[in-house]
Amino acid sequence: MRVLVLGGDGFCGWPTALHLSARGWDVLVVDNLSRRNIDNELEVQSLTPIRTMGERIAAWKEVSGKAIEFENMTVGKEFDRLVALIRDWRPDSVVHFAEQRAAPYSMKSARHKLYTVDNNLNATNHLLAAIVESGRDVHLAHLGTMGVYGYTTAGLRIPEGYLKVTVDTDFGPAEQEILFPPNPGSIYHMTKTQDALLFQFYAKNDGVRVTDLHQGIVWGTQTEETRKDERLINRFDYDGDYGTVLNRFLMQAAVGYPLTVHGTGGQTRAFIHIQDTVRCVELALKNPPKAGDRVKILNQMTESRRVRDLAAMIAGMTGAEVHNVPNPRQEADENELVVANDQFRDLGLKPITLRQGLLDEVTDIARHYADRADLTKVPCVSSWNTRRAEALKSETATVATAGVKNHARSA
């Protein structure tokens, strides 16, 4: 089986490419290395040292004997090249990670909002149109997000994509099944809701087979394949724009920086370990929708946790301080989140849940590479609006100063 992994140089894309290659797939990574360019823009690097794409691919060949191909291309800008690649390379499947993935980054400024919309929506539309133009029957698996549903309390177990409703008509009540109503909390999340509409259209109009994976927040860094050689190591983002909450907490604890809990910490989020991410993608590729089926939507998460409970757990493990800081996001202070994930369980996923050994592994990585950390980049300074920005200014300097002092004492 042949698969294109778009965005295959990224946090989820690289371990997915390795995982599929290890299991016998012919893999071609397509990436324009934009995430590396964003590192330069933000002046912060992955905590773990990331080798060049050429070194990564050579290292994988050396340790596994398997080849991964690479094409430097901007999906969403180079349509003719994309069509030709699909026609010539003849993939059975495409995994679509080629989107700007961080909500805080998408809200940094008007320019970042424009970039995120332009990049994400054009990438998705170009890919769908290219599949149709190529004339090939290609299964598209897309990495979406649970965040399309927002972070308010839904009042029900969030289903996998579709909701049965009863509507009043002139002829009495009638049952319908609709997409679960989206409620995006950032420009990034908004682009994912628009992706969903594009998928519905192309599936209905052109018969494109699509699986949309609504993923929770990813934690952990290493997978079975990335552990094989340091040159294969995955990204570890800890900064306020790209660092995911649990990884950030573990890194902060490792270097003696207070755990920064936004607001009350009453936000409930869905989580998934990076190893389960790659397993879920593989399961999705092995179980595609049939021609003519509607878009297949799966909730790619394994558990839900409240942020303040995560902070308390890690503080109990490590002795770290917990600091509540103003929340830069325009969101509910407290919410409940109950999510259905029956389809992946039915496909055989045995979920990895938060447990001591894997948390320790992330902490050990953070300690090992602590000298690469720039603690001035830890606070989240991307505010959703001007009111949130003003509240944030008054606290960021205080917490950052405390973090640097604690780090100095623990060094």
Side-chain angles (χ1 to χ4, degrees), residues 187-217:
I187 288 292
Y188 159 74
H189 292 110
M190 185 279 298
T191 64
K192 297 292 189 174
T193 71
Q194 300 303 302
D195 285 342
L197 293 178
L198 286 166
F199 297 144
Q200 294 291 324
F201 175 79
Y202 278 91
K204 176 184 66 177
N205 191 72
D206 299 287
V208 178
R209 294 182 298 130
V210 180
T211 300
D212 199 7
L213 306 171
H214 289 178
Q215 179 162 264
I217 295 171

Side-chain angles (χ1 to χ4, degrees), residues 134-154:
S134 74
R136 295 193 53 77
D137 177 23
V138 178
H139 171 220
L140 167 59
H142 168 257
L143 193 70
T145 171
M146 288 297 305
V148 297
Y149 302 131
Y151 293 119
T152 56
T153 298

Side-chain angles (χ1 to χ4, degrees), residues 19-74:
H19 180 84
L20 294 175
S21 176
R23 279 146 189 83
W25 290 71
D26 293 329
V27 178
L28 192 158
V29 165
V30 177
D31 204 299
N32 67 353
L33 309 181
S34 60
R35 182 65 189 87
R36 296 173 187 247
N37 292 332
I38 289 173
D39 278 346
N40 295 331
E41 174 202 340
L42 299 178
E43 298 183 346
V44 59
Q45 302 295 313
S46 164
L47 191 68
T48 51
I50 304 303
R51 301 299 184 97
T52 67
M53 199 62 196
E55 289 177 290
R56 281 181 146 185
I57 289 171
W60 177 242
K61 175 71 171 179
E62 182 181 320
V63 302
S64 72
K66 298 178 182 294
I68 289 178
E69 299 180 57
F70 174 61
E71 188 83 19
N72 190 323
M73 181 191 303
T74 301

Side-chain angles (χ1 to χ4, degrees), residues 184-397:
S186 73
I187 288 292
Y188 159 74
H189 292 110
M190 185 279 298
T191 64
K192 297 292 189 174
T193 71
Q194 300 303 302
D195 285 342
L197 293 178
L198 286 166
F199 297 144
Q200 294 291 324
F201 175 79
Y202 278 91
K204 176 184 66 177
N205 191 72
D206 299 287
V208 178
R209 294 182 298 130
V210 180
T211 300
D212 199 7
L213 306 171
H214 289 178
Q215 179 162 264
I217 295 171
V218 182
W219 67 281
T221 297
Q222 297 281 57
T223 63
E224 179 184 341
E225 289 74 34
T226 64
R227 290 188 190 96
K228 291 181 182 295
D229 191 297
E230 189 183 39
R231 293 170 294 173
L232 302 173
I233 199 166
N234 200 23
R235 292 191 64 91
F236 190 136
D237 296 309
Y238 64 91
D239 63 284
D241 285 319
Y242 275 89
T244 59
V245 60
L246 183 53
N247 279 7
R248 276 168 55 83
F249 283 173
L250 291 166
M251 176 270 181
Q252 289 167 1
V255 300
Y257 194 104
L259 310 186
T260 47
V261 175
H262 292 162
T264 66
Q267 311 91 341
T268 305
R269 299 289 192 259
F271 290 89
I272 185 170
H273 189 271
I274 186 65
Q275 183 70 65
D276 275 346
T277 290
V278 301
R279 287 173 179 153
C280 285
V281 171
E282 181 190 10
L283 286 170
L285 294 182
K286 287 182 173 180
N287 297 274
K290 296 181 178 63
D293 283 357
R294 70 182 182 180
V295 176
K296 188 174 186 177
I297 300 174
L298 298 89
N299 289 336
Q300 187 164 301
M301 53 76 64
T302 54
E303 61 187 315
S304 296
R305 295 290 187 110
R306 205 176 291 276
V307 170
R308 62 170 168 256
D309 295 337
L310 291 176
M313 177 179 68
I314 293 165
M317 287 168 47
T318 64
E321 296 180 23
V322 177
H323 284 195
N324 290 78
V325 299
N327 191 351
R329 302 183 181 217
Q330 185 65 33
E331 63 180 359
D333 292 331
E334 308 270 335
N335 75 290
E336 300 293 336
L337 184 64
V338 183
V339 181
N341 64 346
D342 303 313
Q343 292 187 77
F344 272 127
R345 290 178 180 272
D346 290 344
L347 292 173
L349 179 69
K350 294 178 174 58
I352 294 170
T353 54
L354 298 175
R355 58 176 183 258
Q356 183 80 41
L358 289 173
L359 294 171
D360 287 345
E361 178 186 56
V362 179
T363 305
D364 289 345
I365 289 173
R367 288 181 179 139
H368 183 73
Y369 295 107
D371 62 328
R372 291 174 52 87
D374 179 350
L375 299 187
T376 67
K377 302 298 184 180
V378 171
C380 185
V381 296
S382 297
S383 302
W384 265 230
N385 54 40
T386 54
R387 181 173 65 83
R388 296 283 182 173
E390 289 302 317
L392 200 63
K393 282 180 184 176
S394 66
E395 288 285 344
T396 297

Side-chain angles (χ1 to χ4, degrees), residues 73-112:
M73 181 191 303
T74 301
V75 179
K77 299 294 183 186
E78 300 177 83
F79 180 73
D80 291 339
R81 279 187 69 194
L82 182 59
V83 173
L85 181 63
I86 294 171
R87 281 179 174 162
D88 296 343
W89 204 74
R90 303 171 68 84
D92 300 285
S93 303
V94 177
V95 183
H96 179 20
F97 294 113
E99 294 182 279
Q100 193 290 107
R101 69 171 179 84
Y105 184 83
S106 77
M107 300 296 286
K108 286 183 76 68
S109 70
R111 181 178 66 80
H112 291 88

